[in-house]
Amino acid sequence: QVQLVESGGGSVQSGGSLRLSCAASGLIFSIASMDWYRQAPGKQRELVAGIRSSGSTNYVDSVKGRFTVSRDNAKKMVYLQMNSLNPEDTAVYYCHVELRTGASAYHFWGQGTQVTVSS
């Protein structure tokens, strides 16, 4: 069974930094594309950053230059380094993976970790 477990959330002041971690199990991690999503109160869940098995990355415009996604295949971990945080980054952050088999796609989510940024 695929499991994703996030950690590293917390409360920081504007301008601060946090590093989120996601531990994955139950999948061939090295070939999986991993994503970080976030959901703020009253808003839709949005894709924040993704990292492919090749190491290529993508970011939503609002975090470019501030957030960095990385992975450690040996440890089956994916990270999100968040710098220059601002109150608009306050949200629950989720680790996500989509696995495909044939024509079917399966989405797996972690339980989420709260990030709160105060001004």
Side-chain angles (χ1 to χ4, degrees):
Q1 181 71 7
V2 175
Q3 281 194 317
L4 303 172
V5 180
E6 303 99 334
S7 60
S11 297
V12 296
Q13 290 191 326
S14 186
S17 298
L18 284 172
R19 187 194 195 206
L20 305 183
S21 299
C22 172
S25 61
L27 73 163
I28 305 175
F29 183 81
S30 60
I31 64 172
S33 293
M34 304 297 298
D35 304 300
W36 286 98
Y37 281 74
R38 67 185 179 187
Q39 188 165 19
K43 294 187 177 181
Q44 288 189 332
R45 193 171 294 190
E46 69 169 348
L47 176 63
V48 176
I51 184 165
R52 311 284 78 82
S53 59
S54 64
S56 64
T57 58
N58 59 278
Y59 300 91
V60 67
D61 285 347
S62 60
V63 308
K64 285 180 180 177
R66 300 189 298 121
F67 290 12
T68 302
V69 60
S70 61
R71 63 192 295 158
D72 184 331
N73 289 339
K75 296 181 178 179
K76 295 187 177 182
M77 297 287 295
V78 61
Y79 306 98
L80 186 66
Q81 177 67 42
M82 305 185 296
N83 299 328
S84 301
L85 286 162
N86 59 62
E88 289 69 40
D89 296 315
T90 295
V92 178
Y93 284 71
Y94 298 91
C95 186
H96 165 266
V97 64
E98 177 185 302
L99 301 179
R100 292 183 173 271
T101 173
S104 300
Y106 301 90
H107 295 267
F108 298 91
W109 299 89
Q111 82 285 357
T113 185
Q114 177 71 46
V115 171
T116 303
V117 185
S118 58
S119 57

